[in-house]
């Protein structure tokens, strides 16, 4: 987990509230990713970024938005949280391309009640 | 849609035994990666094998890739209790980078 931090690590929120998760890296890697992990589904890509202000959708992007205003920070926002967004969220980074090995943060456990 | 599918879903072995888990995928790939996840932690990269490679080693890990069968295997030799974790394959087909649902390995002391 060195070089990648996520905050908060745990959060409980109510349905309908906005939530922002933060990923911070100190590796100066170009690519950053947000995944969610749910039992039986492995990791599913939500959004990724390939540079400052450059982002693209992943497999399960509905209900999520992202922003990257600095190389080191990648924010994931749930505009109006739903119970189906209860999950563990992982941030990851890769150095140059999407094909490179990815390094993962420690995860954020989000519960939407 | 999932590209890689690990098999078995769960595996229990005794310490010292070898563990083999498999990953099958559907479309042509550029590379395939294996990751380990200890309970409550993020994933850790183990090995990347490219489509033109057939075998790679890293310590006690051996990965093979058979592109004709669209499958890969991860062998952990002389397993230890610390190898208890979930193992995921991830495939890159040039368009998508997709993780499989994982194999849960338990190594019993």
């Amino acid at each position: 987990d060195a070089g990648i931090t996520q905050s908060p690590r745990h959060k409980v929120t109510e349905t309908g509230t906005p939530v922002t998760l933060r990923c911070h890296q100190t590796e100066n890697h170009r690519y950053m990713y947000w995944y969610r992990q749910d039992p039986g589904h492995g990791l599913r890509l939500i959004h990724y970024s390939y540079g400052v202000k450059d982002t693209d959708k992943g497999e399960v992007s509905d209900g999520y938005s992202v922003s990257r205003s600095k190389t080191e920070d990648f924010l994931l926002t749930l505009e109006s949280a739903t119970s189906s967004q209860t999950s563990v969220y992982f941030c990851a980074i890769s150095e140059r391309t999407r094909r490179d090995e990815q390094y993962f943060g420690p995860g954020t456990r989000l519960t939407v009640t | 849609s999932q590209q890689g599918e690990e098999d078995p879903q769960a595996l229990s072995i005794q310490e010292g035994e070898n563990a083999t888990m498999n990953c099958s995928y559907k479309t042509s790939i550029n590379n395939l990666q294996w990751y380990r996840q200890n309970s409550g932690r993020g994933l850790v990269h183990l090995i990347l094998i490219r489509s033109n490679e057939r075998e790679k080693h890293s310590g006690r890990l051996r990965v093979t890739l058979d592109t004709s069968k669209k499958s890969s295997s991860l062998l952990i030799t002389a397993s230890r209790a610390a190898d208890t974790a979930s193992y995921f394959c991830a495939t890159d087909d040039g368009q998508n980078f997709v993780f499989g649902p994982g194999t849960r390995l338990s190594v019993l002391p």
Side-chain angles (χ1 to χ4, degrees):
Chain A
D1 299 347
I4 310 169
T5 56
Q6 293 184 230
S7 58
R9 293 293 313 280
H10 302 271
K11 185 169 182 68
V12 180
T13 192
E14 293 184 350
T15 297
T17 60
V19 176
T20 295
L21 308 183
R22 179 179 183 245
C23 176
H24 179 80
Q25 62 146 330
T26 58
E27 307 298 322
N28 199 36
H29 282 12
R30 180 183 177 195
Y31 277 77
M32 299 186 75
Y33 311 83
W34 277 108
Y35 291 92
R36 59 178 290 173
Q37 185 175 34
D38 304 289
H41 288 278
L43 273 79
R44 292 181 291 175
L45 182 65
I46 305 171
H47 283 278
Y48 69 98
S49 168
Y50 47 97
V52 173
K53 297 196 169 116
D54 293 322
T55 65
D56 205 350
K57 296 179 179 180
E59 180 186 357
V60 290
S61 60
D62 287 348
Y64 301 94
S65 62
V66 290
S67 66
R68 189 171 180 196
S69 58
K70 298 186 290 185
T71 298
E72 57 267 34
D73 290 325
F74 193 32
L75 304 181
L76 176 71
T77 297
L78 289 65
E79 304 290 348
S80 177
T82 68
S83 58
S84 65
Q85 293 176 313
T86 292
S87 186
V88 180
Y89 291 85
F90 287 98
C91 174
I93 62 175
S94 63
E95 187 171 2
R96 290 169 292 119
T97 75
R98 286 187 66 186
R99 298 175 184 176
D100 294 339
E101 61 189 77
Q102 296 186 19
Y103 301 92
F104 283 78
T108 294
R109 182 172 295 277
L110 176 67
T111 302
V112 183
T113 61
Chain B
S1 62
Q2 286 180 346
Q3 166 76 305
E5 294 276 346
E6 293 91 346
D7 170 60
Q9 291 186 335
L11 178 63
S12 288
I13 59 174
Q14 297 294 130
E15 209 164 17
E17 294 180 339
N18 295 342
T20 300
M21 53 206 86
N22 304 295
C23 172
S24 59
Y25 56 91
K26 297 183 177 67
T27 63
S28 296
I29 58 171
N30 295 309
N31 68 54
L32 185 146
Q33 302 181 34
W34 284 93
Y35 288 79
R36 182 187 75 235
Q37 184 180 33
N38 293 94
S39 181
R41 306 289 297 273
L43 277 70
V44 174
H45 182 266
L46 297 176
I47 288 184
L48 181 154
I49 187 165
R50 304 187 191 284
S51 59
N52 61 352
E53 298 175 315
R54 291 297 168 258
E55 187 171 313
K56 287 190 83 169
H57 297 258
S58 177
R60 294 182 297 112
L61 305 181
R62 172 178 170 253
V63 168
T64 61
L65 179 64
D66 187 334
T67 54
S68 66
K69 295 182 179 177
K70 292 187 171 56
S71 68
S72 173
S73 67
L74 170 66
L75 168 67
I76 304 173
T77 59
S79 63
R80 306 166 181 167
D83 294 327
T84 293
S86 291
Y87 292 82
F88 297 89
C89 68
T91 53
D92 164 40
D93 64 6
Q95 293 288 332
N96 300 296
F97 185 82
V98 179
F99 285 85
T103 291
R104 179 175 295 279
L105 173 66
S106 298
V107 181
L108 308 175

